[in-house]
Amino acid sequence: MGAPIILELGGKNPALVSRNANLDEAATGIVRSAFGLQGQKCSACSRVFVEEPVYEELSQKLVKMTENLVIGDPPSGR
């Protein structure tokens, strides 16, 4: 089984998800990479390539996780 890696690819950074991946970990990593730090980092995930046998399950996990993101002004530190 492969190990997770991060590559800076000029703003076209894909996540590759195989049928052997832990889909919970993959979904968490994709959401954190795409939306963490407002996506303003060199290695932010901008696309996902998924093996067909796990596409639907991963898609459902990603939709659920992104629907739960809170968007807006951060809390004040005061």
Side-chain angles (χ1 to χ4, degrees):
M1 178 155 50
I5 61 171
I6 295 176
L7 302 171
E8 193 283 308
L9 300 169
K12 301 298 179 204
N13 305 308
L16 307 174
V17 183
S18 76
R19 67 186 76 207
N20 300 317
N22 177 317
L23 298 184
D24 290 325
E25 288 181 8
T28 298
I30 291 165
V31 170
R32 285 182 179 167
S33 179
F35 300 108
L37 302 174
Q38 295 78 39
Q40 300 298 311
K41 58 184 175 144
C42 295
S43 60
C45 181
S46 61
R47 59 184 71 202
V48 181
F49 296 106
V50 185
E51 276 197 279
E52 192 171 349
V54 295
Y55 174 83
E56 286 300 324
E57 184 179 353
L58 180 64
S59 294
Q60 291 171 6
K61 289 178 183 295
L62 290 171
V63 167
K64 183 177 180 182
M65 290 179 80
T66 55
E67 287 177 341
N68 290 322
L69 292 175
V70 177
I71 299 173
D73 291 331
S76 174
R78 299 179 212 172

